[in-house]
Amino acid sequence: MELYFLGTNAGVPTLQRNVTSIGLRMYEERRALWLFDCGEGTQHQVLRSLLKLSKLEKIFITHLHGDHLFGLPGLLSSRAYQGGVTPLTVYGPVGLERYIRTTLELSQSRIEYELNIVEHEGGVVFEDEMFRVESALLEHRIDSYGYRIIEKDRPGQLNFEILKHHGIKPGPLYGQLKNGGSIQLADGQTLHSHQVVGKPKKGKIITILGDTRPCPNVSLLAQDADVLVHEATFLQDMEETAHNYYHSTTLQAAHAAKEANAHELILTHFSSRYKDREQLEPLLQEAKSVFENTLLAEEHVLFPITSKSV
């Protein structure tokens, strides 16, 4: 899994950065792409990226502010032209369906694939045999949610030497053992899963927050996360401004990562006052003074997700 930032600016796009959208690339895990937020110009950013809309499976919207949402109708309308014909589900706060249906209807846009819209108010918003996605309300001017993506533990590796010793060839029996079953051998013995399967592979946890100022649900969502993506709109000397606008500072994001025992912190959603990498560097250094394993989000850069257990 890797994170790919399509936009890292707060409020409005600039010549240096686009507004918020984050790709979670899971090509190895489920041959799929998930997007988190879809600010204006996201589909243009996708065209310049390593991401493929043909693999887009889900979009999670944190809140209904334009810099997180205004790119959604265009992307939904044009997705099929980029090979996206498989079903797509969009998750987000109450009001999201009315926004999508209204914009598509008034623009007479035709959707050539199955589009599902799921509104939620937190809790478990998605779960299958591979992943669970939990959400909780943050503290912003409108309802804003964070998402906790939990990869479920995967079975360990088969011990092929033992299987070969017992004369078991690749096929359905491999799957039966890997999934926790037992098989009867030709000599009457029973071979159990735990005898040939190694320790389960610990799943990863990724936390992606919407706009927020410090609140208890940040820690709840970020607890023991392998990666925490947290807004850092301002430097700490603008803490009062951040509070008044329901945003966070660099140090607040860093303290959140430290208190939640996260492994890595990626800062994003930067104020337009910080124009380039040189002006963003103080934000990074300020956060690193509290939480050393901090990175700045950069657009069109892959961020591999490393497990805490490694």
Side-chain angles (χ1 to χ4, degrees):
M1 283 189 287
E2 304 101 353
L3 288 168
Y4 191 99
F5 290 83
L6 296 162
T8 60
N9 216 53
V12 295
T14 66
L15 292 175
Q16 294 80 21
R17 299 189 300 272
N18 201 49
V19 285
T20 300
S21 183
I22 304 168
L24 177 58
R25 203 170 73 157
M26 300 182 290
Y27 291 176
E28 292 184 9
E29 291 78 10
R30 61 191 295 134
R31 299 180 180 177
L33 166 68
W34 291 0
L35 281 184
F36 292 80
D37 285 334
C38 190
E40 179 184 357
T42 292
Q43 65 173 318
H44 293 281
Q45 292 289 80
V46 171
L47 290 173
R48 302 184 186 99
S49 77
L50 301 172
L51 307 181
K52 298 178 181 179
L53 289 185
S54 61
K55 295 186 180 295
L56 181 60
E57 180 187 30
K58 298 182 182 298
I59 302 175
F60 298 86
I61 300 297
T62 61
H63 63 296
L64 303 185
H65 276 157
D67 58 322
H68 296 254
L69 185 70
F70 282 168
L72 190 54
L75 185 143
L76 294 177
S77 300
S78 64
R79 175 178 176 252
Y81 295 105
Q82 299 183 46
V85 294
T86 54
L88 173 64
T89 305
V90 185
Y91 303 81
V94 174
L96 176 65
E97 182 164 15
R98 181 157 62 99
Y99 171 79
I100 293 175
R101 299 297 184 194
T102 300
T103 53
L104 295 180
E105 179 184 351
L106 292 178
S107 62
Q108 298 187 29
S109 300
R110 296 180 60 186
I111 302 298
E112 305 291 343
Y113 52 87
E114 180 184 335
L115 175 62
N116 303 296
I117 303 169
V118 178
E119 295 185 338
H120 67 81
E121 294 180 293
V124 177
V125 299
F126 167 75
E127 185 168 15
D128 65 6
E129 69 280 359
M130 298 175 66
F131 285 87
R132 183 171 75 253
V133 180
E134 301 172 351
S135 183
L137 185 66
L138 304 173
E139 192 170 312
H140 196 48
R141 289 190 293 117
I142 63 173
D143 285 355
S144 178
Y145 291 87
Y147 293 100
R148 178 179 173 90
I149 305 96
I150 303 164
E151 180 188 24
K152 296 182 179 181
D153 293 351
R154 292 170 289 166
Q157 290 291 329
L158 288 168
N159 189 319
F160 297 109
E161 290 299 319
I162 295 178
L163 293 170
K164 184 178 179 181
H165 173 75
H166 288 290
I168 303 170
K169 297 180 180 180
L173 294 180
Y174 273 31
Q176 190 173 331
L177 288 166
K178 191 159 188 177
N179 291 324
S182 302
I183 63 172
Q184 195 80 21
L185 299 175
D187 61 4
Q189 295 185 65
T190 300
L191 188 64
H192 300 285
S193 176
H194 70 268
Q195 295 174 282
V196 293
V197 179
K199 292 182 179 180
K201 295 181 179 179
K202 184 69 175 173
K204 296 172 183 175
I205 299 174
I206 305 100
T207 300
I208 299 175
L209 303 181
D211 292 3
T212 188
R213 59 189 184 188
C215 67
N217 278 345
V218 169
S219 294
L220 181 70
L221 290 168
Q223 192 66 42
D224 294 320
D226 294 293
V227 178
L228 167 62
V229 179
H230 197 305
E231 69 134 290
T233 309
F234 301 106
L235 281 163
Q236 187 61 25
D237 63 4
M238 299 192 69
E239 181 180 4
E240 183 176 353
T241 300
H243 180 82
N244 291 340
Y245 284 92
Y246 290 84
H247 286 298
S248 297
T249 67
T250 51
L251 289 189
Q252 288 169 340
H255 281 296
K258 185 175 182 179
E259 291 166 7
N261 192 35
H263 174 60
E264 183 176 71
L265 170 65
I266 303 180
L267 303 178
T268 189
H269 199 267
F270 309 118
S271 168
S272 300
R273 70 185 61 237
Y274 312 115
K275 301 297 183 187
D276 52 27
R277 175 68 195 215
E278 183 178 353
Q279 293 185 0
L280 286 173
E281 187 64 23
L283 282 80
L284 176 62
Q285 296 308 319
E286 199 167 72
K288 286 172 75 72
S289 70
V290 170
F291 190 81
E292 176 62 28
N293 199 16
T294 301
L295 301 171
L296 292 178
E298 297 181 64
E299 295 176 18
H300 300 297
V301 173
L302 275 176
F303 289 79
I305 297 170
T306 304
S307 174
K308 288 181 66 175
S309 60
V310 174

